[in-house]
């Protein structure tokens, strides 16, 4: 692909991000805000993960050659290879680029992850997961304004998703917007209870506990979420 084509794809995807309201320059030293991404055993619940076009993976007969299976089992290099083959076979399918983006992210290749995510968006991918992975990749590259814009877009696309709320809360915490961060950690926790996503329930509560030391508003939401979690545990365990 020529430099001009790459620039065109990047420009097309970037137009979908609102970067006008992310006025901060703090470095993302708070990587612990995203504990969901610390290892293959702690992978986030990707809300749209199963919405893969069957045509895209129909030629993969062996489950172990399916990028979804490979990623979920921590085989990121293999997943990337398969995703790249899918791109070559179906270059117009946006999901193939998303799978490659996720694989590259888990391999700590954040620039490549950004590139694939932007291509996925340029190909028409408008689900929140691609903007979530884009936001996390930008954060790893210390491009906080673009990270904020990506998480904001993901939240706009689906505000009833624990992942989009958690990520937006984390970037708001980095920006020291304690009330907004608390609101979205709380909402992430409530939605995680509905999803029965115990990892994110724990992370949302832990994040509110951290903020509860800074202000009373966060403390109230921390206590409130704790009560909801106690009820959830009583009814399910």
């Amino acid at each position: 692909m020529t430099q001009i084509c790459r620039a065109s794809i990047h420009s097309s995807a970037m137009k979908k991000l609102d970067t006008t309201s992310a006025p901060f320059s703090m470095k993302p030293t708070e990587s612990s805000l995203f504990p969901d991404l610390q290892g293959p055993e702690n992978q986030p619940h990707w809300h749209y993960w199963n919405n893969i076009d069957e045509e895209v993976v129909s030629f993969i007969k062996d489950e172990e050659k399916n990028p979804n299976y490979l990623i979920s089992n921590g085989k990121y290099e293999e997943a990337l290879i398969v995703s790249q083959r899918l791109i070559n076979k179906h270059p117009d399918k946006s999901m193939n680029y998303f799978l490659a983006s996720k694989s590259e992210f888990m391999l700590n290749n954040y620039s490549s992850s950004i590139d694939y995510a932007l291509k996925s968006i340029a190909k028409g991918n408008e689900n929140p997961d691609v903007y979530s992975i884009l936001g996390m990749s930008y954060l790893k590259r210390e491009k906080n304004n673009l990270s904020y814009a990506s998480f904001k877009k993901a939240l706009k696309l689906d505000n009833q998703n624990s992942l989009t709320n958690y990520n937006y809360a984390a970037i708001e915490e980095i920006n020291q917007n304690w009330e907004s961060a608390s609101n979205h950690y709380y909402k992430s926790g409530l939605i995680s209870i509905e999803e029965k996503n115990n990892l994110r329930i724990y992370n949302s509560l832990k994040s509110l506990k951290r903020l509860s030391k800074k202000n009373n508003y966060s403390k109230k939401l921390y206590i409130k979420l704790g009560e909801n979690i106690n009820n959830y545990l009583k009814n399910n365990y």
Side-chain angles (χ1 to χ4, degrees):
M1 184 180 289
T2 66
Q3 286 293 108
I4 293 175
C5 288
R6 282 187 183 139
S8 177
I9 287 174
H10 186 273
S11 176
S12 173
M14 290 298 291
K15 286 179 181 178
K16 299 182 181 181
L17 296 179
D18 175 14
T19 60
T20 60
S21 55
F24 59 88
S25 59
M26 287 182 63
K27 292 184 178 180
T29 54
E30 301 89 338
S31 58
S32 61
L33 296 177
F34 297 90
D36 285 6
L37 299 170
Q38 290 180 349
E41 73 282 2
N42 290 329
Q43 288 315 297
H45 169 73
W46 295 94
H47 188 61
Y48 289 86
W49 196 243
N50 294 322
N51 291 355
I52 307 294
D53 190 330
E54 288 300 320
E55 180 186 348
V56 175
V57 294
S58 61
F59 73 96
I60 303 175
K61 304 302 182 184
D62 185 352
E63 184 184 44
E64 293 192 6
K65 297 301 180 182
N66 187 306
N68 293 311
Y69 176 87
L70 294 170
I71 291 172
S72 66
N73 285 274
K75 299 179 180 179
Y76 308 126
E77 291 184 0
E78 293 177 49
L80 178 60
I81 292 170
V82 174
S83 298
Q84 290 170 334
R85 288 174 182 168
L86 283 168
I87 289 170
N88 291 332
K89 189 174 181 67
H90 302 281
D92 293 327
K93 295 291 185 179
S94 64
M95 187 58 69
N96 298 334
Y97 298 91
F98 171 68
L99 293 169
S101 177
K102 177 91 189 297
S103 302
E104 289 281 35
F105 180 88
M106 299 313 299
L107 289 167
N108 302 325
N109 298 328
Y110 305 122
S111 293
S112 294
S113 178
I114 291 168
D115 189 40
Y116 278 121
L118 290 173
K119 288 175 183 175
S120 182
I121 293 168
K123 295 287 183 180
N125 191 344
E126 281 293 296
N127 76 51
D129 285 351
V130 69
Y131 287 99
S132 293
I133 200 71
L134 182 62
M136 288 183 282
S137 298
Y138 276 135
L139 192 65
K140 291 290 188 177
R141 295 289 295 162
E142 301 190 9
K143 296 183 178 181
N144 289 19
N145 281 4
L146 292 173
S147 176
Y148 176 92
S150 300
F151 289 147
K152 184 178 179 181
K153 176 69 173 181
L155 186 68
K156 182 178 180 180
L157 288 170
D158 187 355
N159 63 10
Q160 296 301 315
N161 182 330
S162 68
L163 178 66
T164 61
N165 277 279
Y166 185 88
N167 287 343
Y168 189 75
I171 201 70
E172 284 287 69
E173 182 176 354
I174 291 173
N175 197 23
Q176 298 185 10
N177 289 331
W178 311 130
E179 185 170 325
S180 176
S182 298
N183 284 333
H184 288 282
Y185 279 136
Y186 177 70
K187 188 171 183 179
S188 174
L190 293 181
I191 297 172
S192 297
I193 290 173
E194 295 177 7
E195 297 171 348
K196 295 187 177 180
N197 185 333
N198 291 341
L199 175 62
R200 192 159 297 122
I201 291 171
Y202 170 74
N203 288 336
S204 299
L205 184 66
K206 185 172 70 172
S207 298
L208 275 176
K209 182 179 181 180
R210 181 173 59 246
L211 291 183
S212 70
K213 299 174 183 178
K214 299 180 181 295
N215 63 86
N216 289 329
Y217 182 79
S218 301
K219 187 175 181 179
K220 289 178 181 178
L221 290 184
Y222 167 63
I223 294 171
K224 195 173 180 181
L225 181 59
E227 291 172 349
N228 280 275
I229 292 172
N230 282 335
N231 291 331
Y232 163 73
L233 294 174
K234 288 176 183 179
N235 293 328
N236 291 276
Y237 296 96

